[in-house]
Amino acid sequence: MTSYLVPAFAGLLTGAGLIIAIGPQNVYVLRQGVARRHTAPIVAVCAISDVVLIVAGVAGLGALVATHPQVVTVAKIAGGLYILVLGLLAARRSLRSNAAIATNAGEAESAGRWVAVGTALALTWLNPHVYLDTVLTMGAIANGHGNGKWAFAIGACAASVIWFTALGGGARKLSGFFASPGAWKVLDAVVAVIMIAMAVALFVSV
């Protein structure tokens, strides 16, 4: 039993190190959590997607993806375009008047759950870094632990579930501060900078 605790702990730390890094997925969870819009299903989508990808990487999908680099290239282009659009939309929101932002927030509150879930899925599965981190990197590290690879996978999966649950729940507690339209302008400006910068980085890396 003790022999599996070491790889499980290693998986927890590795997963935390790779997942907690700022990215479009985390930014989206943060923004939706602050807005208190469909936080639970979005957190579930992000966590479950990571679990599926980590398990796939440990099972050997990482080696298959590594032999077909064109898959990563296509993901970079598609993901970069999608993230760029989201960044430009955030920039437009940040430049609107306070009244316009308040109205937009009210309208967004009625947005369908499936739209939010679909965006979370796109930000996860169209992001090439997700494949590089979860499928390739974690898959390779996990298989280096031999018989303890699945213990490593459990630790990595636990890191993802804990992180997204904490991020979504923590963001909800900030909703009072973001009652001010001015605070939303700042948040959207930060989101725009991060999204656009990541989109450019993806295009440059193709």
Side-chain angles (χ1 to χ4, degrees):
M1 181 66 179
T2 305
S3 62
Y4 290 107
L5 292 178
V6 173
F9 188 64
L12 182 67
L13 293 180
T14 303
L18 292 174
I19 295 167
I20 292 177
I22 294 177
Q25 187 186 48
N26 287 338
V27 170
Y28 183 67
V29 173
L30 175 64
R31 193 181 194 285
Q32 293 299 107
V34 168
R36 291 178 174 268
R37 293 199 296 267
H38 314 301
T39 308
I42 289 172
V43 166
V45 165
C46 293
I48 292 173
S49 295
D50 272 4
V51 168
V52 171
L53 289 166
I54 290 169
V55 170
V58 175
L61 182 60
L64 180 61
V65 173
T67 60
H68 295 81
Q70 66 271 20
V71 174
V72 177
T73 299
V74 171
K76 285 182 178 181
I77 296 173
L81 288 172
Y82 190 75
I83 293 171
L84 178 62
V85 170
L86 292 178
L88 293 175
L89 289 175
R92 186 180 68 173
R93 287 195 303 267
S94 71
L95 295 174
R96 286 181 175 179
S97 66
N98 289 350
I101 292 177
T103 301
N104 183 65
E107 292 173 350
E109 189 66 34
S110 62
R113 175 176 300 180
W114 291 113
V115 174
V117 169
T119 300
L121 285 170
L123 286 174
T124 300
W125 293 89
L126 288 180
N127 183 3
H129 289 298
V130 170
Y131 298 95
L132 296 175
D133 292 344
T134 58
V135 178
L136 294 175
T137 304
M138 287 195 200
I141 296 175
N143 281 282
H145 286 276
N147 292 333
K149 67 179 185 179
W150 290 112
F152 180 95
I154 291 173
C157 291
S160 179
V161 173
I162 292 171
W163 167 248
F164 284 115
T165 301
L167 181 62
R172 289 175 66 86
K173 296 183 182 298
L174 295 173
S175 58
F177 173 76
F178 282 93
S180 165
W184 275 107
K185 290 171 71 71
V186 173
L187 178 61
D188 279 324
V190 172
V191 170
V193 170
I194 292 175
M195 292 284 195
I196 294 174
M198 289 189 169
V200 171
L202 287 176
F203 294 143
V204 170
S205 66
V206 172

Tab-separated table of all heavy atoms in Angstrom, residues 75-133:
chain	number	residue	atom	x	y	z
A	75	ALA	N	-5.048	21.291	-33.646
A	75	ALA	CA	-5.621	21.759	-32.380
A	75	ALA	C	-5.122	23.162	-32.049
A	75	ALA	O	-5.872	23.998	-31.527
A	75	ALA	CB	-5.255	20.798	-31.251
A	76	LYS	N	-3.855	23.444	-32.357
A	76	LYS	CA	-3.309	24.772	-32.095
A	76	LYS	C	-4.025	25.838	-32.916
A	76	LYS	O	-4.368	26.917	-32.413
A	76	LYS	CB	-1.812	24.803	-32.406
A	76	LYS	CG	-0.937	24.108	-31.372
A	76	LYS	CD	0.525	24.228	-31.745
A	76	LYS	CE	1.414	23.585	-30.693
A	76	LYS	NZ	2.859	23.705	-31.039
A	77	ILE	N	-4.265	25.549	-34.195
A	77	ILE	CA	-4.925	26.526	-35.064
A	77	ILE	C	-6.377	26.743	-34.647
A	77	ILE	O	-6.835	27.878	-34.481
A	77	ILE	CB	-4.848	26.070	-36.531
A	77	ILE	CG1	-3.385	26.032	-37.004
A	77	ILE	CG2	-5.667	26.998	-37.426
A	77	ILE	CD1	-3.195	25.432	-38.380
A	78	ALA	N	-7.108	25.645	-34.463
A	78	ALA	CA	-8.523	25.737	-34.080
A	78	ALA	C	-8.664	26.374	-32.701
A	78	ALA	O	-9.493	27.266	-32.489
A	78	ALA	CB	-9.158	24.341	-34.094
A	79	GLY	N	-7.837	25.921	-31.771
A	79	GLY	CA	-7.901	26.483	-30.425
A	79	GLY	C	-7.509	27.939	-30.389
A	79	GLY	O	-8.120	28.746	-29.679
A	80	GLY	N	-6.476	28.309	-31.164
A	80	GLY	CA	-6.044	29.698	-31.207
A	80	GLY	C	-7.128	30.620	-31.737
A	80	GLY	O	-7.353	31.706	-31.194
A	81	LEU	N	-7.822	30.189	-32.782
A	81	LEU	CA	-8.906	30.997	-33.344
A	81	LEU	C	-10.041	31.179	-32.342
A	81	LEU	O	-10.577	32.288	-32.178
A	81	LEU	CB	-9.440	30.334	-34.625
A	81	LEU	CG	-8.513	30.395	-35.843
A	81	LEU	CD1	-9.079	29.536	-36.970
A	81	LEU	CD2	-8.322	31.834	-36.307
A	82	TYR	N	-10.401	30.089	-31.668
A	82	TYR	CA	-11.507	30.152	-30.712
A	82	TYR	C	-11.155	31.056	-29.530
A	82	TYR	O	-11.952	31.900	-29.115
A	82	TYR	CB	-11.851	28.750	-30.220
A	82	TYR	CG	-13.138	28.702	-29.419
A	82	TYR	CD1	-14.369	28.797	-30.055
A	82	TYR	CD2	-13.111	28.584	-28.039
A	82	TYR	CE1	-15.551	28.774	-29.330
A	82	TYR	CE2	-14.285	28.551	-27.308
A	82	TYR	CZ	-15.502	28.646	-27.956
A	82	TYR	OH	-16.668	28.630	-27.229
A	83	ILE	N	-9.939	30.881	-28.998
A	83	ILE	CA	-9.505	31.689	-27.856
A	83	ILE	C	-9.390	33.157	-28.252
A	83	ILE	O	-9.716	34.057	-27.469
A	83	ILE	CB	-8.161	31.161	-27.317
A	83	ILE	CG1	-8.355	29.766	-26.718
A	83	ILE	CG2	-7.586	32.105	-26.262
A	83	ILE	CD1	-7.066	29.075	-26.346
A	84	LEU	N	-8.951	33.427	-29.493
A	84	LEU	CA	-8.841	34.804	-29.975
A	84	LEU	C	-10.213	35.473	-30.009
A	84	LEU	O	-10.364	36.628	-29.601
A	84	LEU	CB	-8.215	34.825	-31.372
A	84	LEU	CG	-8.088	36.204	-32.030
A	84	LEU	CD1	-7.185	37.113	-31.196
A	84	LEU	CD2	-7.541	36.063	-33.454
A	85	VAL	N	-11.221	34.750	-30.486
A	85	VAL	CA	-12.583	35.300	-30.536
A	85	VAL	C	-13.068	35.641	-29.131
A	85	VAL	O	-13.636	36.711	-28.884
A	85	VAL	CB	-13.541	34.298	-31.212
A	85	VAL	CG1	-14.993	34.754	-31.036
A	85	VAL	CG2	-13.219	34.172	-32.699
A	86	LEU	N	-12.839	34.731	-28.179
A	86	LEU	CA	-13.263	34.984	-26.800
A	86	LEU	C	-12.522	36.193	-26.221
A	86	LEU	O	-13.107	36.996	-25.486
A	86	LEU	CB	-12.998	33.748	-25.934
A	86	LEU	CG	-13.857	32.521	-26.231
A	86	LEU	CD1	-13.452	31.363	-25.325
A	86	LEU	CD2	-15.341	32.835	-26.049
A	87	GLY	N	-11.246	36.331	-26.563
A	87	GLY	CA	-10.481	37.472	-26.081
A	87	GLY	C	-10.999	38.784	-26.631
A	87	GLY	O	-11.106	39.777	-25.913
A	88	LEU	N	-11.346	38.790	-27.928
A	88	LEU	CA	-11.881	40.004	-28.546
A	88	LEU	C	-13.250	40.359	-27.969
A	88	LEU	O	-13.566	41.543	-27.779
A	88	LEU	CB	-11.985	39.809	-30.065
A	88	LEU	CG	-10.645	39.680	-30.806
A	88	LEU	CD1	-10.877	39.372	-32.273
A	88	LEU	CD2	-9.816	40.952	-30.645
A	89	LEU	N	-14.061	39.365	-27.672
A	89	LEU	CA	-15.365	39.624	-27.053
A	89	LEU	C	-15.185	40.221	-25.661
A	89	LEU	O	-15.925	41.133	-25.262
A	89	LEU	CB	-16.177	38.326	-26.972
A	89	LEU	CG	-16.700	37.772	-28.295
A	89	LEU	CD1	-17.375	36.419	-28.078
A	89	LEU	CD2	-17.682	38.755	-28.939
A	90	ALA	N	-14.208	39.695	-24.905
A	90	ALA	CA	-13.935	40.239	-23.576
A	90	ALA	C	-13.439	41.680	-23.681
A	90	ALA	O	-13.808	42.540	-22.876
A	90	ALA	CB	-12.905	39.370	-22.858
A	91	ALA	N	-12.604	41.958	-24.688
A	91	ALA	CA	-12.113	43.318	-24.894
A	91	ALA	C	-13.264	44.262	-25.206
A	91	ALA	O	-13.311	45.398	-24.707
A	91	ALA	CB	-11.085	43.333	-26.028
A	92	ARG	N	-14.202	43.798	-26.031
A	92	ARG	CA	-15.351	44.640	-26.370
A	92	ARG	C	-16.194	44.935	-25.131
A	92	ARG	O	-16.654	46.069	-24.930
A	92	ARG	CB	-16.214	43.956	-27.434
A	92	ARG	CG	-17.344	44.844	-27.948
A	92	ARG	CD	-18.168	44.143	-28.994
A	92	ARG	NE	-18.937	43.027	-28.439
A	92	ARG	CZ	-19.840	42.328	-29.130
A	92	ARG	NH1	-20.063	42.619	-30.403
A	92	ARG	NH2	-20.500	41.348	-28.565
A	93	ARG	N	-16.372	43.919	-24.274
A	93	ARG	CA	-17.142	44.132	-23.042
A	93	ARG	C	-16.454	45.157	-22.139
A	93	ARG	O	-17.109	45.987	-21.519
A	93	ARG	CB	-17.317	42.813	-22.283
A	93	ARG	CG	-18.289	41.837	-22.916
A	93	ARG	CD	-18.682	40.737	-21.933
A	93	ARG	NE	-17.515	40.006	-21.439
A	93	ARG	CZ	-17.050	38.891	-21.994
A	93	ARG	NH1	-17.637	38.408	-23.078
A	93	ARG	NH2	-16.000	38.272	-21.485
A	94	SER	N	-15.119	45.083	-22.070
A	94	SER	CA	-14.394	45.982	-21.167
A	94	SER	C	-14.433	47.426	-21.651
A	94	SER	O	-14.237	48.354	-20.851
A	94	SER	CB	-12.935	45.519	-21.038
A	94	SER	OG	-12.215	45.763	-22.236
A	95	LEU	N	-14.679	47.638	-22.949
A	95	LEU	CA	-14.689	48.991	-23.507
A	95	LEU	C	-16.082	49.607	-23.537
A	95	LEU	O	-16.233	50.794	-23.844
A	95	LEU	CB	-14.118	48.970	-24.935
A	95	LEU	CG	-12.640	48.575	-25.043
A	95	LEU	CD1	-12.242	48.456	-26.511
A	95	LEU	CD2	-11.758	49.593	-24.324
A	96	ARG	N	-17.079	48.825	-23.192
A	96	ARG	CA	-18.439	49.356	-23.197
A	96	ARG	C	-18.651	50.256	-21.993
A	96	ARG	O	-17.917	50.213	-21.016
A	96	ARG	CB	-19.465	48.222	-23.164
A	96	ARG	CG	-19.588	47.479	-24.479
A	96	ARG	CD	-20.637	46.394	-24.355
A	96	ARG	NE	-20.880	45.730	-25.626
A	96	ARG	CZ	-21.738	44.725	-25.782
A	96	ARG	NH1	-22.418	44.266	-24.757
A	96	ARG	NH2	-21.907	44.185	-26.969
A	97	SER	N	-19.723	51.062	-22.061
A	97	SER	CA	-20.068	51.924	-20.930
A	97	SER	C	-20.552	51.057	-19.772
A	97	SER	O	-20.941	49.908	-19.959
A	97	SER	CB	-21.177	52.907	-21.330
A	97	SER	OG	-22.373	52.195	-21.600
A	98	ASN	N	-20.572	51.621	-18.574
A	98	ASN	CA	-21.028	50.876	-17.398
A	98	ASN	C	-22.456	50.385	-17.565
A	98	ASN	O	-22.803	49.276	-17.180
A	98	ASN	CB	-20.944	51.760	-16.145
A	98	ASN	CG	-19.497	52.003	-15.730
A	98	ASN	OD1	-18.592	51.372	-16.255
A	98	ASN	ND2	-19.302	52.913	-14.789
A	99	ALA	N	-23.295	51.212	-18.164
A	99	ALA	CA	-24.690	50.818	-18.348
A	99	ALA	C	-24.799	49.630	-19.272
A	99	ALA	O	-25.574	48.705	-19.046
A	99	ALA	CB	-25.499	51.997	-18.911
A	100	ALA	N	-23.992	49.665	-20.319
A	100	ALA	CA	-24.030	48.563	-21.280
A	100	ALA	C	-23.571	47.271	-20.645
A	100	ALA	O	-24.111	46.205	-20.903
A	100	ALA	CB	-23.154	48.894	-22.486
A	101	ILE	N	-22.556	47.385	-19.760
A	101	ILE	CA	-22.059	46.176	-19.104
A	101	ILE	C	-23.102	45.615	-18.172
A	101	ILE	O	-23.312	44.407	-18.097
A	101	ILE	CB	-20.767	46.496	-18.320
A	101	ILE	CG1	-19.654	46.820	-19.294
A	101	ILE	CG2	-20.362	45.343	-17.429
A	101	ILE	CD1	-18.367	47.224	-18.624
A	102	ALA	N	-23.770	46.492	-17.438
A	102	ALA	CA	-24.800	46.021	-16.520
A	102	ALA	C	-25.908	45.304	-17.268
A	102	ALA	O	-26.399	44.260	-16.848
A	102	ALA	CB	-25.366	47.207	-15.727
A	103	THR	N	-26.325	45.882	-18.412
A	103	THR	CA	-27.367	45.244	-19.211
A	103	THR	C	-26.900	43.898	-19.743
A	103	THR	O	-27.629	42.913	-19.722
A	103	THR	CB	-27.749	46.162	-20.398
A	103	THR	OG1	-28.202	47.404	-19.890
A	103	THR	CG2	-28.831	45.528	-21.249
A	104	ASN	N	-25.652	43.893	-20.204
A	104	ASN	CA	-25.106	42.652	-20.750
A	104	ASN	C	-25.050	41.561	-19.686
A	104	ASN	O	-25.320	40.406	-19.958
A	104	ASN	CB	-23.701	42.896	-21.297
A	104	ASN	CG	-23.122	41.646	-21.953
A	104	ASN	OD1	-23.639	41.200	-22.969
A	104	ASN	ND2	-22.075	41.090	-21.372
A	105	ALA	N	-24.690	41.938	-18.454
A	105	ALA	CA	-24.611	40.966	-17.372
A	105	ALA	C	-25.984	40.385	-17.090
A	105	ALA	O	-26.129	39.185	-16.837
A	105	ALA	CB	-24.041	41.626	-16.111
A	106	GLY	N	-27.033	41.257	-17.146
A	106	GLY	CA	-28.382	40.759	-16.903
A	106	GLY	C	-28.839	39.811	-17.987
A	106	GLY	O	-29.479	38.809	-17.728
A	107	GLU	N	-28.486	40.150	-19.227
A	107	GLU	CA	-28.860	39.277	-20.337
A	107	GLU	C	-28.111	37.951	-20.275
A	107	GLU	O	-28.664	36.890	-20.538
A	107	GLU	CB	-28.547	39.979	-21.662
A	107	GLU	CG	-29.422	41.199	-21.932
A	107	GLU	CD	-28.956	41.956	-23.164
A	107	GLU	OE1	-27.862	41.623	-23.667
A	107	GLU	OE2	-29.673	42.870	-23.602
A	108	ALA	N	-26.834	38.035	-19.902
A	108	ALA	CA	-26.021	36.817	-19.844
A	108	ALA	C	-26.520	35.868	-18.769
A	108	ALA	O	-26.319	34.659	-18.859
A	108	ALA	CB	-24.560	37.187	-19.578
A	109	GLU	N	-27.175	36.427	-17.721
A	109	GLU	CA	-27.668	35.585	-16.640
A	109	GLU	C	-28.674	34.564	-17.144
A	109	GLU	O	-28.816	33.477	-16.596
A	109	GLU	CB	-28.320	36.481	-15.570
A	109	GLU	CG	-28.673	35.756	-14.285
A	109	GLU	CD	-27.433	35.281	-13.550
A	109	GLU	OE1	-26.405	35.969	-13.609
A	109	GLU	OE2	-27.513	34.199	-12.937
A	110	SER	N	-29.389	34.934	-18.219
A	110	SER	CA	-30.405	34.038	-18.756
A	110	SER	C	-29.855	33.119	-19.843
A	110	SER	O	-30.599	32.364	-20.459
A	110	SER	CB	-31.581	34.864	-19.323
A	110	SER	OG	-31.124	35.675	-20.388
A	111	ALA	N	-28.573	33.208	-20.101
A	111	ALA	CA	-27.975	32.356	-21.135
A	111	ALA	C	-28.129	30.895	-20.764
A	111	ALA	O	-28.064	30.518	-19.600
A	111	ALA	CB	-26.499	32.710	-21.305
A	112	GLY	N	-28.326	30.066	-21.757
A	112	GLY	CA	-28.573	28.656	-21.501
A	112	GLY	C	-27.378	27.936	-20.905
A	112	GLY	O	-26.224	28.284	-21.169
A	113	ARG	N	-27.675	26.947	-20.099
A	113	ARG	CA	-26.624	26.145	-19.485
A	113	ARG	C	-25.795	25.431	-20.530
A	113	ARG	O	-24.584	25.289	-20.400
A	113	ARG	CB	-27.253	25.130	-18.527
A	113	ARG	CG	-26.246	24.163	-17.908
A	113	ARG	CD	-26.911	23.254	-16.894
A	113	ARG	NE	-27.502	24.028	-15.809
A	113	ARG	CZ	-28.142	23.463	-14.784
A	113	ARG	NH1	-28.295	22.149	-14.732
A	113	ARG	NH2	-28.645	24.205	-13.813
A	114	TRP	N	-26.453	25.009	-21.614
A	114	TRP	CA	-25.718	24.259	-22.640
A	114	TRP	C	-24.703	25.126	-23.371
A	114	TRP	O	-23.672	24.630	-23.826
A	114	TRP	CB	-26.694	23.620	-23.626
A	114	TRP	CG	-27.497	22.523	-23.004
A	114	TRP	CD1	-28.835	22.521	-22.762
A	114	TRP	CD2	-27.006	21.271	-22.522
A	114	TRP	NE1	-29.213	21.359	-22.154
A	114	TRP	CE2	-28.116	20.563	-21.999
A	114	TRP	CE3	-25.729	20.687	-22.478
A	114	TRP	CZ2	-27.986	19.295	-21.437
A	114	TRP	CZ3	-25.607	19.425	-21.918
A	114	TRP	CH2	-26.717	18.740	-21.406
A	115	VAL	N	-24.988	26.420	-23.478
A	115	VAL	CA	-24.020	27.330	-24.098
A	115	VAL	C	-22.774	27.421	-23.224
A	115	VAL	O	-21.635	27.367	-23.716
A	115	VAL	CB	-24.641	28.736	-24.283
A	115	VAL	CG1	-23.585	29.717	-24.786
A	115	VAL	CG2	-25.811	28.673	-25.251
A	116	ALA	N	-22.978	27.547	-21.917
A	116	ALA	CA	-21.851	27.627	-20.985
A	116	ALA	C	-21.051	26.335	-20.983
A	116	ALA	O	-19.817	26.352	-21.005
A	116	ALA	CB	-22.366	27.936	-19.572
A	117	VAL	N	-21.757	25.215	-20.964
A	117	VAL	CA	-21.094	23.916	-20.975
A	117	VAL	C	-20.343	23.715	-22.288
A	117	VAL	O	-19.210	23.211	-22.305
A	117	VAL	CB	-22.118	22.781	-20.769
A	117	VAL	CG1	-21.486	21.417	-21.045
A	117	VAL	CG2	-22.655	22.811	-19.341
A	118	GLY	N	-20.950	24.125	-23.398
A	118	GLY	CA	-20.306	23.991	-24.698
A	118	GLY	C	-19.029	24.804	-24.786
A	118	GLY	O	-18.025	24.349	-25.346
A	119	THR	N	-19.048	26.001	-24.208
A	119	THR	CA	-17.849	26.839	-24.203
A	119	THR	C	-16.752	26.197	-23.363
A	119	THR	O	-15.577	26.185	-23.748
A	119	THR	CB	-18.165	28.240	-23.647
A	119	THR	OG1	-19.159	28.862	-24.467
A	119	THR	CG2	-16.924	29.108	-23.630
A	120	ALA	N	-17.128	25.638	-22.214
A	120	ALA	CA	-16.152	24.959	-21.360
A	120	ALA	C	-15.545	23.757	-22.084
A	120	ALA	O	-14.334	23.510	-21.996
A	120	ALA	CB	-16.813	24.508	-20.055
A	121	LEU	N	-16.372	23.019	-22.808
A	121	LEU	CA	-15.870	21.873	-23.579
A	121	LEU	C	-14.902	22.331	-24.668
A	121	LEU	O	-13.849	21.720	-24.876
A	121	LEU	CB	-17.047	21.112	-24.208
A	121	LEU	CG	-17.875	20.242	-23.262
A	121	LEU	CD1	-19.140	19.759	-23.969
A	121	LEU	CD2	-17.050	19.043	-22.774
A	122	ALA	N	-15.266	23.411	-25.358
A	122	ALA	CA	-14.408	23.906	-26.435
A	122	ALA	C	-13.072	24.395	-25.885
A	122	ALA	O	-12.009	24.112	-26.449
A	122	ALA	CB	-15.120	25.029	-27.186
A	123	LEU	N	-13.109	25.127	-24.774
A	123	LEU	CA	-11.879	25.651	-24.185
A	123	LEU	C	-10.979	24.527	-23.676
A	123	LEU	O	-9.766	24.694	-23.578
A	123	LEU	CB	-12.209	26.608	-23.034
A	123	LEU	CG	-12.736	27.981	-23.446
A	123	LEU	CD1	-13.165	28.772	-22.225
A	123	LEU	CD2	-11.683	28.748	-24.233
A	124	THR	N	-11.587	23.395	-23.349
A	124	THR	CA	-10.805	22.252	-22.868
A	124	THR	C	-10.260	21.434	-24.021
A	124	THR	O	-9.053	21.213	-24.141
A	124	THR	CB	-11.670	21.352	-21.966
A	124	THR	OG1	-12.139	22.108	-20.838
A	124	THR	CG2	-10.864	20.162	-21.462
A	125	TRP	N	-11.146	21.016	-24.915
A	125	TRP	CA	-10.761	20.046	-25.951
A	125	TRP	C	-10.122	20.675	-27.178
A	125	TRP	O	-9.498	19.970	-27.985
A	125	TRP	CB	-11.974	19.208	-26.337
A	125	TRP	CG	-12.408	18.327	-25.201
A	125	TRP	CD1	-13.292	18.648	-24.214
A	125	TRP	CD2	-11.962	17.005	-24.912
A	125	TRP	NE1	-13.416	17.611	-23.331
A	125	TRP	CE2	-12.623	16.584	-23.736
A	125	TRP	CE3	-11.074	16.128	-25.547
A	125	TRP	CZ2	-12.415	15.327	-23.173
A	125	TRP	CZ3	-10.862	14.867	-24.989
A	125	TRP	CH2	-11.530	14.476	-23.814
A	126	LEU	N	-10.254	22.008	-27.347
A	126	LEU	CA	-9.593	22.680	-28.468
A	126	LEU	C	-8.279	23.324	-28.041
A	126	LEU	O	-7.616	23.965	-28.852
A	126	LEU	CB	-10.516	23.754	-29.062
A	126	LEU	CG	-11.718	23.260	-29.861
A	126	LEU	CD1	-12.534	24.445	-30.369
A	126	LEU	CD2	-11.287	22.359	-31.015
A	127	ASN	N	-7.929	23.151	-26.770
A	127	ASN	CA	-6.686	23.732	-26.259
A	127	ASN	C	-5.553	22.702	-26.369
A	127	ASN	O	-5.556	21.706	-25.647
A	127	ASN	CB	-6.872	24.158	-24.805
A	127	ASN	CG	-5.638	24.832	-24.238
A	127	ASN	OD1	-4.650	25.037	-24.938
A	127	ASN	ND2	-5.699	25.166	-22.965
A	128	PRO	N	-4.596	22.921	-27.259
A	128	PRO	CA	-3.519	21.936	-27.434
A	128	PRO	C	-2.679	21.727	-26.187
A	128	PRO	O	-2.109	20.659	-25.982
A	128	PRO	CB	-2.687	22.519	-28.580
A	128	PRO	CG	-3.001	23.971	-28.570
A	128	PRO	CD	-4.427	24.067	-28.160
A	129	HIS	N	-2.611	22.760	-25.330
A	129	HIS	CA	-1.823	22.609	-24.109
A	129	HIS	C	-2.416	21.542	-23.187
A	129	HIS	O	-1.696	20.936	-22.397
A	129	HIS	CB	-1.736	23.945	-23.366
A	129	HIS	CG	-0.867	24.948	-24.058
A	129	HIS	ND1	0.477	24.736	-24.281
A	129	HIS	CD2	-1.146	26.158	-24.590
A	129	HIS	CE1	0.994	25.778	-24.910
A	129	HIS	NE2	0.027	26.659	-25.121
A	130	VAL	N	-3.724	21.331	-23.302
A	130	VAL	CA	-4.358	20.286	-22.500
A	130	VAL	C	-3.791	18.921	-22.877
A	130	VAL	O	-3.489	18.088	-22.025
A	130	VAL	CB	-5.895	20.300	-22.694
A	130	VAL	CG1	-6.519	19.066	-22.062
A	130	VAL	CG2	-6.478	21.558	-22.079
A	131	TYR	N	-3.609	18.712	-24.183
A	131	TYR	CA	-3.070	17.433	-24.644
A	131	TYR	C	-1.593	17.301	-24.278
A	131	TYR	O	-1.137	16.217	-23.885
A	131	TYR	CB	-3.249	17.295	-26.158
A	131	TYR	CG	-4.693	17.302	-26.583
A	131	TYR	CD1	-5.305	18.476	-27.005
A	131	TYR	CD2	-5.452	16.145	-26.526
A	131	TYR	CE1	-6.643	18.495	-27.379
A	131	TYR	CE2	-6.793	16.152	-26.900
A	131	TYR	CZ	-7.377	17.330	-27.315
A	131	TYR	OH	-8.696	17.348	-27.671
A	132	LEU	N	-0.857	18.389	-24.398
A	132	LEU	CA	0.562	18.351	-24.070
A	132	LEU	C	0.767	18.087	-22.579
A	132	LEU	O	1.669	17.340	-22.188
A	132	LEU	CB	1.231	19.675	-24.467
A	132	LEU	CG	1.239	19.996	-25.962
A	132	LEU	CD1	1.819	21.377	-26.213
A	132	LEU	CD2	2.046	18.953	-26.731
A	133	ASP	N	-0.082	18.716	-21.741
A	133	ASP	CA	0.081	18.571	-20.294
A	133	ASP	C	-0.475	17.254	-19.761
A	133	ASP	O	0.219	16.513	-19.066
A	133	ASP	CB	-0.610	19.737	-19.570
A	133	ASP	CG	0.085	21.060	-19.813
A	133	ASP	OD1	1.241	21.035	-20.272
A	133	ASP	OD2	-0.521	22.107	-19.552
